[in-house]
Amino acid sequence: MSESQSKFETLRWRDGRLEMIDQRALPAAVHYLPFDSAAAVADGIRSMVVRGAPAIGCAAAYGVALEAQRLQRKLPAEFSAGMEAGLAVLATSRPTAVNLFWALARMRSAWQTFSGSTPAQIAQMLLAEAQAIHAADIEANRRMGQHGAALLTDGARVLTHCNAGALATAGHGTALGVIRSAVEAGKKVSVFANETRPFLQGARLTAWELAQDNIPVTLIADNAAGFLMSRGEIDAVVVGADRIAANGDVANKIGTYPVAVLAQRHRIPFYVAAPLSTIDAAIANGADIPIEERGADEIRGYGAMRWAPDGVAVRNPVFDITPAELVTGLITEKGVVPAPDAGKLRKLLEKN
Ligand code: MRU
């Protein structure tokens, strides 16, 4: 299915404002929320209306464009101060996905390029820049899909963790983009989706998204993956990433690391699909990647339901680090990097 045929859009520009599908409501309800300022978009990112590294980056880019639009009638000094405040509030919305900071840096540099123009002209140019980031993300995912699809055999049963699909990007997806592209190429591929405690991105989002495209999906409890691997029921693992360190260590949704360890134990290839914007060359290894910790109530229950004693101590780190040595291949828009390491990633980034 091509993006133009996609049944939903994660983000869209409508009537001079940003609309985002409310991912907290899925799959029970499909509705869009409007956003008209950087602060509102930052709130949408923090509260998980939008999530997934590339989608967060796109949303932040639109947040900057919206702020410029909101301030376009101000005098240049007031406009600049307001823009700085908008960039700052977006930068504190979530800490781990580097695509957020990548998108903000790109928007800042576009703003600087046009700094001699009027606020109204800058606002127009920043909207065009956000739309370019949006379109480039879909294009990168399609390329990643083509490269990655070649790695999946006809009939492959693929395990994925969290949601690295169209909902986590501007469209098509990274890990799910690889699966979509394999299906488009005529391969029969079926998916095991880890439910992904505690926020249930696998159960609520991956299962919904794949069902929209009629791609066979079977939902499993996170702790069932090892059993299925031991029975020979999983042929490959494909996941996304929130930040990849210069040495190839991968930060992704909590629970990815144990899946990678299990895959190695069972000699199952473990692939990471991510655009170059997810590689953070400034961070030497995974130990230095900031890991978000979210609220205790995400562990004590879900929604209004509580199943743990009130006040029980909780840790809720929501990402973990998979060492590069467990990664069979990194699938990017520029091709597949087998067994990624510092040297290979440096070369990959130098070429681009
Ligand atoms: O907390 P989330 O839902 O934003 O976490 C998302 C993930 O961990 C995804 O796997 C990752 O961002 C890759 S999305 C293409």
Side-chain angles (χ1 to χ4, degrees):
M1 173 178 292
S2 78
E3 182 52 26
S4 55
Q5 296 165 291
S6 187
K7 296 193 175 69
F8 63 89
E9 289 168 295
T10 305
L11 323 91
R12 62 191 187 196
W13 187 258
R14 283 272 196 290
D15 304 326
R17 61 188 191 176
L18 175 67
E19 291 184 351
M20 298 197 284
I21 196 165
D22 185 354
Q23 300 198 29
R24 301 165 307 181
L26 289 169
V30 181
H31 64 245
Y32 287 80
L33 296 176
F35 297 83
D36 59 7
S37 68
V41 172
D43 214 47
I45 294 172
R46 196 174 300 112
S47 65
M48 309 284 277
V49 170
V50 65
R51 29 67 49 201
I56 291 172
C58 287
Y62 279 115
V64 175
L66 283 165
E67 199 59 15
Q69 183 175 283
R70 200 174 73 81
L71 299 169
Q72 64 183 321
R73 285 183 195 85
K74 304 279 185 201
L75 293 171
E78 226 180 314
F79 176 80
S80 292
M83 288 295 288
E84 288 296 353
L87 283 158
V89 76
L90 283 161
T92 56
S93 55
R94 287 189 80 189
T96 303
V98 75
N99 311 60
L100 169 71
F101 307 100
W102 172 89
L104 293 179
R106 192 166 144 177
M107 294 301 283
R108 176 185 285 284
S109 120
W111 171 27
Q112 278 161 0
T113 306
F114 301 115
S115 57
S117 309
T118 65
Q121 286 165 335
I122 294 172
Q124 242 178 25
M125 287 156 187
L126 290 182
L127 174 58
E129 188 70 4
Q131 286 171 328
I133 289 174
H134 186 152
D137 186 58
I138 297 173
E139 181 57 27
N141 293 336
R142 290 223 144 257
R143 285 181 196 277
M144 226 178 286
Q146 279 161 8
H147 295 303
L151 300 169
L152 301 181
T153 52
D154 192 19
R157 297 154 300 174
V158 180
L159 175 71
T160 192
H161 188 71
C162 194
N163 172 268
L167 285 167
T169 63
H172 198 65
T174 56
L176 298 192
V178 167
I179 289 160
R180 280 199 169 89
S181 294
V183 170
E184 283 173 9
K187 291 181 183 173
K188 276 199 165 55
V189 174
S190 57
V191 178
F192 283 107
N194 266 354
E195 64 179 350
T196 317
R197 282 272 297 140
F199 208 68
L200 304 177
Q201 288 93 333
R204 296 187 304 103
L205 308 177
T206 295
W208 179 78
E209 181 179 326
L210 291 176
Q212 298 290 304
D213 283 359
N214 296 316
I215 296 175
V217 54
T218 302
L219 182 63
I220 59 171
D222 297 332
N223 41 15
F227 172 72
L228 293 182
M229 287 184 186
S230 75
R231 291 288 167 102
E233 294 190 38
I234 293 173
D235 302 302
V237 178
V238 188
V239 297
D242 285 81
R243 194 183 298 223
I244 299 173
N247 72 342
D249 290 352
V250 173
N252 192 49
K253 180 52 53 194
I254 192 79
T256 302
Y257 169 50
V259 171
V261 173
L262 282 166
Q264 187 192 48
R265 167 84 171 92
H266 296 285
R267 297 190 170 78
I268 295 166
F270 177 91
Y271 297 111
V272 175
L276 297 190
S277 55
T278 303
I279 302 174
D280 186 350
I283 287 206
N285 62 65
D288 293 333
I289 297 178
I291 298 295
E292 178 182 13
E293 298 230 7
R294 295 184 68 89
D297 282 349
E298 287 184 2
I299 302 290
R300 293 195 190 117
Y302 189 85
M305 170 95 82
R306 289 285 165 270
W307 48 66
D310 280 348
V312 65
V314 163
R315 279 290 304 276
N316 186 17
V318 301
F319 298 97
D320 61 21
I321 305 294
T322 299
E325 67 192 73
L326 297 180
V327 179
T328 310
L330 171 63
I331 303 164
T332 76
E333 67 272 42
K334 299 291 175 189
V336 178
V337 182
D341 62 19
K344 291 178 190 172
L345 291 194
R346 202 177 315 112
K347 274 202 193 110
L348 179 74
L349 294 175
E350 271 165 17
K351 275 195 293 185
N352 297 286

